[in-house]
Amino acid sequence: TAAAPVPGQEALRETALRALRACGVAEEALRVADGAASLSAVTCLTGAELLRVPAVGADDVEGVVDAAHEAFTTWRTTPAPVRGGLVKRLGQLLSEHKEVLADLVTLEAGKIRSEALGEVQEMIDVCDYAVGISRQLYGKTMPSERPGHRLMETWHPLGVVGVISAFNFPVAVWSWNSAIALVCGDSVVWKPSEKTPLTALACSALLDRAIAETGAPAGLHGLLLGGREVGEALVDSPRVPLVSATGSTRMGREVGPRVAARFGRSLLELGGNNAAVVTASADLELATRAIVFSAAGTAGQRCTTLRRLIVHSSVVEPLLERLVAAYGRLPIGSPLEQGTLVGPLVDAGSHQRFTEALERAREAGGEVLVGGGRRDVEGAEDGYYVEPAIVRMPAQTDVVREETFAPILYVLTYDTLDEAIELHNGVPQGLSSGIFTADQREAERFIAADGSDCGIVNVNIGTSGAEIGGAFGGEKETGGGRESGSDSWQAYMRRATNTVNYSGELLLAQDVNFL
Ligand code: NAD
């Protein structure tokens, strides 16, 4: 298939400016003063700069955190359902601006239209969810061992939540954290990826509007456009009790100990190296579709992207035949083009890591069955469009055990389920996993305590594309954090245990006698 061409740079720039203005981004937020710090907003569609936007330095962080802390002091006593009103308005604004926000997601992160719209929908969904949660910040009441006493817990707002986000979910990750943190009574300071400043400006402007319209305190949300040093200053700030950081394991390895050193809390959402087991009884048609979406979708740039396939030796040949055929038909090219399924990698560094990983896989005895090449796309000389690759490996070698953030699917085979689970869990990361099977015993074993060791364990579904209602996150080097649904809101609050004595006597716990 010929790669779909990319529109001219001027047209892309116009699309970006139109979207930013529609979201209410002020002109001064786009104007860089002479000699002032700035960030280059590049589109990965062409690799060229769209705009240059003002940036902050590490010295500016404390001022933004102070303003957010000040806002927190009134926000924390605002009733939670009233706080929900702010997030409800944010959700409406995101909904009204869904199309233009998706334009920005495509320009900066390279997502195809349906995935860009899907990411914006995720923001809207999480706002709905958070509004519901604003009336359900439940604490438990436990039976006290003493007569005339009440034992209970209350959940209180925590303070300023620092949010550090990755390029590949430039808006969803922010909304997961912010919508929940805001209903929990926290304020938020956001350090987005330096690769996606425009989506951040747009979301931030919409939240500022919701804050103004609902009378919430100004300063409740702060945006820090800047590089890693800005993230580091946020991480070190003593006024930030929780740092929620999404990105590579390398980043988390730095952030976790720094936050811990000042006894702050961190919520880490780091790299994955996700696998699916395909058993002898699997529906190969269903599995093929799920695998292709999970492995090649988003050009392999999801934390939940399927990177390893562990296939029963009796079905490996027919499955690979289907997968190779499907990969050969994948439409690659401009994500703005209707019908494209695979857009670009984010930048040259990402492309280099893709080719290096393939080279290492070959050296380790791997056979590239399909893909691996770079596609020239008209109008995008510095855009990195690649053919998603499938590599059959003789063993789970070092390169297979690492996360390469690009579309490479390594295939291994197994004969017993124990062997498959051992291979599955034999990597440092623990985010998402799946099993394709029609055998209930195999499915149950995979989700049991001695099955998959991941935070997300699916049956007859690929590894990517989680719903917001569940808790999202992973184990081991994925960092252990949980965000979005279920009881993840608790990470954004502090718990107080209260004992109330209404007996008129002083009774000590455990029958202790004193005085
Ligand atoms: P990255 O680690 O390069 O950057 C992520 C963010 O961290 C950026 O905002 C960056 O400026 C900041 N940062 C980097 N070093 C820092 C430091 N020392 N202190 C403070 N901030 C720092 O990641 P990326 O390339 O943008 O994103 C891809 C990675 O993110 C992949 O590994 C992917 O698996 C992971 N990811 C994980 C999840 C998840 O939920 N588990 C979701 C999305 C992406």
Side-chain angles (χ1 to χ4, degrees):
T1 339
V6 174
Q9 193 63 17
E10 217 22 65
L12 295 178
R13 199 178 123 84
E14 270 314 307
T15 304
L17 281 171
R18 200 171 45 242
L20 291 164
R21 287 183 183 128
C23 293
V25 176
E27 289 301 321
E28 56 268 28
L30 301 173
R31 199 175 306 121
V32 180
D34 280 349
S38 64
L39 263 186
S40 174
V42 170
T43 172
C44 57
L45 269 54
T46 59
E49 183 176 280
L50 288 171
L51 296 167
R52 206 156 245 291
V53 293
V56 298
D59 292 346
D60 301 310
V61 172
E62 231 21 67
V64 178
V65 170
D66 282 348
H69 182 80
E70 181 61 29
F72 165 70
T73 58
T74 53
W75 191 238
R76 67 181 162 188
T77 52
T78 304
V82 176
R83 301 194 296 243
L86 164 64
V87 174
K88 185 173 182 181
R89 182 65 189 131
L90 173 64
Q92 287 165 347
L93 290 172
L94 293 171
S95 200
E96 285 164 21
H97 296 83
K98 184 171 175 178
E99 300 283 327
V100 287
L101 285 166
D103 285 343
L104 291 173
V105 171
T106 295
L107 287 175
E108 292 198 314
K111 294 195 182 187
I112 61 169
R113 190 71 187 159
S114 71
E115 290 193 62
L117 286 166
E119 182 168 352
V120 181
Q121 186 59 43
E122 207 168 304
M123 290 204 284
I124 299 163
D125 290 347
V126 92
C127 285
D128 277 354
Y129 177 76
V131 174
I133 283 288
S134 73
R135 290 182 184 270
Q136 301 174 75
L137 302 173
Y138 301 133
K140 290 177 176 151
T141 303
M142 304 74 138
S144 169
E145 66 192 43
R146 288 169 280 186
H149 284 62
R150 185 147 73 93
L151 182 58
M152 62 178 188
E153 61 188 19
T154 41
W155 289 90
H156 296 302
L158 201 55
V160 181
V161 175
V163 177
I164 296 174
S165 58
F167 83 85
N168 67 316
F169 271 96
V171 295
V173 168
W174 165 74
S175 69
W176 291 358
N177 284 285
S178 302
I180 306 270
L182 289 170
V183 299
C184 287
D186 302 323
S187 53
V188 174
V189 174
W190 181 21
K191 208 306 271 173
S193 165
E194 47 276 55
K195 293 174 187 166
T196 57
L198 303 185
T199 44
L201 280 167
C203 290
S204 193
L206 291 172
L207 177 52
D208 285 347
R209 182 172 155 194
I211 288 172
E213 286 179 8
T214 56
L220 201 53
H221 183 256
L223 177 64
L224 298 170
L225 291 185
R228 178 173 163 171
E229 66 295 347
V230 172
E232 287 172 352
L234 184 63
V235 162
D236 290 339
S237 174
R239 282 243 168 130
V240 179
L242 171 67
V243 175
S244 175
T246 300
S248 58
T249 293
R250 178 206 57 76
M251 178 275 285
R253 222 185 277 290
E254 289 164 15
V255 167
R258 282 175 87 138
V259 177
R262 60 174 178 83
F263 295 99
R265 288 189 205 167
S266 52
L267 197 171
L268 300 176
E269 298 279 354
L270 312 175
N273 188 357
N274 318 295
V277 175
V278 183
T279 73
S281 65
D283 174 341
L284 293 188
E285 195 52 48
L286 179 147
T288 300
R289 291 182 54 211
I291 291 164
V292 177
F293 169 64
S294 284
T298 333
Q301 299 171 110
R302 287 194 189 212
C303 50
T304 50
T305 289
L306 179 63
R307 310 201 179 279
R308 298 175 298 134
L309 202 55
I310 302 165
V311 191
H312 193 267
S313 51
S314 66
V315 291
V316 70
E317 299 306 335
L319 180 68
L320 284 177
E321 204 175 297
R322 287 163 196 251
L323 288 174
V324 168
Y327 267 53
R329 291 193 300 268
L330 280 174
I332 302 165
S334 168
L336 292 170
E337 201 69 31
Q338 187 86 25
T340 295
L341 292 182
V342 182
L345 292 177
V346 74
D347 57 19
S350 178
H351 178 247
Q352 190 184 341
R353 288 186 286 278
F354 174 73
T355 50
E356 280 170 4
L358 287 172
E359 195 44 49
R360 284 175 62 200
R362 280 193 196 96
E363 281 165 13
E367 185 194 351
V368 179
L369 303 178
V370 64
R374 183 173 168 190
R375 284 278 181 93
D376 287 333
V377 171
E378 205 186 311
E381 282 61 47
D382 294 319
Y384 291 87
Y385 295 80
V386 298
E387 296 157 351
I390 299 179
V391 188
R392 192 157 180 184
M393 294 299 294
Q396 190 151 267
T397 62
D398 286 349
V399 72
V400 181
R401 298 176 74 254
E402 290 167 21
E403 179 195 52
T404 300
F405 213 56
I408 304 175
L409 179 63
Y410 300 109
V411 180
L412 302 161
T413 52
Y414 78 93
D415 289 312
T416 66
L417 192 57
D418 281 341
E419 205 186 316
I421 291 172
E422 197 176 320
L423 276 171
H424 179 277
N425 294 346
V427 296
Q429 312 81 356
L431 181 53
S432 185
S433 59
I435 188 167
F436 292 92
T437 180
D439 181 334
Q440 192 179 0
R441 283 172 303 188
E442 288 180 329
E444 292 289 341
R445 170 71 204 289
F446 192 67
I447 59 180
D450 59 350
S452 163
D453 62 1
C454 289
I456 298 169
V457 187
N458 297 334
V459 177
N460 292 326
I461 295 181
T463 52
S464 70
E467 296 182 22
I468 59 114
F472 182 95
E475 303 300 332
K476 302 193 286 184
E477 289 191 2
T478 303
R482 291 295 185 280
E483 287 178 3
S484 196
S486 185
D487 59 4
S488 303
W489 60 270
Q490 293 181 351
Y492 302 83
M493 303 197 86
R494 63 182 175 86
R495 181 196 333 233
T497 300
N498 318 120
T499 310
V500 180
N501 174 10
Y502 60 94
S503 70
E505 291 174 53
L506 186 67
L507 298 166
L508 300 182
Q510 293 94 36
D511 289 330
V512 170
N513 283 314
F514 199 87
L515 210 65

